[in-house]
Amino acid sequence: MSRGKSRADAAQAAEAAVLAELRPGQSIELLKELHILTREGRLNQDSRRKLKQVYHLYQFIEPLLAELSTDGHAPLLADHGAGKSYLGFILYDLFFKQLGRGEIYGIEWRAELVRRSRALAERLGFARMQFLDMSVADAAAATQLPERFDIVTALHACDTATDDAIAFGLQKHARAMVLVPCCQAEVAACLRRNKALSLSRTPLAELWRHPIHTRELGSQITNVLRCLHLEASGYQVTVTELVGWEHSLKNELILARWTGQKKRSAQERLRAILQEFGLEQALAARFGMAAA
């Protein structure tokens, strides 16, 4: 066997291995533009991790889109903290393009990333993708956005941006929200400020005596409060992991679907947790209630 044939066979095998990891109909050109695939069409370790995260998230979002696009409805999706819009582009490529209707709005505060996304969407002919240069917090008041959205997503929206995405979803009467929270420092800061009082009040304060525990407990409490807030607002909430922990430490996936059944018990528990951890003054308004 010639050396040239061996190389060709190896290249074909490598290409087949990459294609086996992609979803049917996935645009190779798009993945190269997003730098998930190299120019040669290869996957490296980092891009494989990104692709696995986005594909896993797609598995949760695609059934929602399919359900919400019945009877000719054109689904509207808002992707908050879009960054380079990996999620939005892949959703459009795999679902919206074939559907032939519906729009995706990518919301990102970094103007350069918005410009790049607009240029890429134009280059690929993804006409029903729009990108707005603004923060998640400002999006709810933006007049260029529709009054209602079917789905709100926020993938690794840092600190309070996930809370802003939830507030946006509530205001826009979202039928579903798909959230992957990232770092969150606000509750940890409150726990540190109240440490003297808390340590004297309950032995449970040992849970946040050390700084690393304070940070992790603050993140955990924040996500629990978010879930209760969604349940109190009329959503059924499921919490699971996005991908295996070996791929991402910020791995929690919150899936909320509108039912209209506002749980009074969730509101009561939310209030009790805020009171127990001395968070009521700082966070009551954030979660839809007045401070006592």
Side-chain angles (χ1 to χ4, degrees):
M1 181 182 295
S2 68
R3 183 176 298 179
K5 182 172 175 55
S6 297
R7 288 177 178 173
D9 290 343
Q12 288 179 354
E15 182 180 359
V18 169
L19 291 174
E21 296 191 48
L22 304 185
R23 286 185 166 268
Q26 179 74 76
S27 167
I28 301 296
E29 180 186 357
L30 170 64
L31 296 183
K32 288 181 178 180
E33 291 278 6
L34 293 175
H35 303 292
I36 290 176
L37 291 180
T38 66
R39 291 181 180 179
E40 296 76 27
R42 304 286 189 270
L43 278 167
N44 59 38
Q45 185 174 357
D46 182 59
S47 61
R48 182 174 278 107
R49 176 185 59 82
K50 290 178 181 176
L51 187 64
K52 183 172 182 178
Q53 285 191 19
V54 175
Y55 274 177
H56 196 67
L57 196 55
Y58 179 81
Q59 289 180 346
F60 290 95
I61 298 173
E62 190 273 338
L64 297 172
L65 286 169
E67 177 185 329
L68 294 169
S69 61
T70 56
D71 300 325
H73 179 66
L76 297 180
L77 184 145
D79 181 25
H80 284 290
K84 296 179 181 179
S85 292
Y86 292 110
L87 177 62
F89 278 113
I90 287 177
L91 283 171
Y92 193 98
D93 189 42
L94 293 178
F95 187 87
F96 283 81
K97 186 168 64 175
Q98 183 177 357
L99 183 67
R101 60 183 185 274
E103 294 182 82
I104 294 177
Y105 290 78
I107 298 165
E108 169 58 47
W109 65 271
R110 288 167 289 186
E112 177 58 29
L113 295 183
V114 170
R115 283 193 293 271
R116 290 180 187 177
S117 294
R118 286 172 178 165
L120 178 55
E122 183 175 358
R123 197 154 61 242
L124 295 172
F126 289 7
R128 287 173 285 110
M129 290 191 79
Q130 299 191 40
F131 300 92
L132 288 83
D133 171 13
M134 63 181 62
S135 69
V136 181
D138 291 336
T143 56
Q144 60 267 55
L145 285 168
E147 292 184 2
R148 288 176 175 265
F149 275 90
D150 294 293
I151 300 179
V152 171
T153 64
L155 177 59
H156 293 156
C158 287
D159 206 13
T160 59
T162 297
D163 301 303
D164 294 333
I166 291 172
F168 176 94
L170 293 177
Q171 181 176 324
K172 298 294 185 179
H173 307 285
R175 305 297 298 178
M177 299 189 220
V178 184
L179 312 165
V180 181
C182 196
C183 52
Q184 213 285 345
E186 189 175 27
V187 168
C190 291
L191 292 175
R192 281 192 291 271
R193 281 198 302 270
N194 297 334
K195 183 174 287 189
L197 170 63
S198 300
L199 284 172
S200 63
R201 189 179 61 184
T202 169
L204 288 178
E206 289 294 317
L207 294 173
W208 69 93
R209 179 158 61 93
H210 300 287
I212 188 171
H213 294 159
T214 306
R215 184 175 68 246
E216 294 303 316
L217 181 64
S219 179
Q220 180 84 347
I221 292 171
T222 301
N223 288 338
V224 169
L225 293 172
R226 287 165 173 164
C227 292
L228 289 171
H229 181 39
L230 286 164
E231 288 178 337
S233 301
Y235 288 80
Q236 179 184 38
V237 176
T238 302
V239 182
T240 185
E241 64 177 18
L242 176 58
V243 289
W245 292 105
E246 72 274 14
H247 294 282
S248 176
L249 292 177
K250 300 301 181 182
N251 196 43
E252 188 169 332
L253 171 63
I254 300 172
L255 177 62
R257 299 186 57 160
W258 169 255
T259 65
Q261 298 177 351
K262 300 182 179 182
K263 291 187 177 180
R264 188 172 184 178
S265 60
Q267 178 118 352
E268 293 169 351
R269 290 170 186 171
L270 198 162
R271 169 80 73 182
I273 291 173
L274 291 174
Q275 291 174 342
E276 182 68 27
F277 287 96
L279 301 170
E280 196 169 17
Q281 288 296 323
L283 298 181
R286 167 80 51 81
F287 296 106
M289 56 183 65

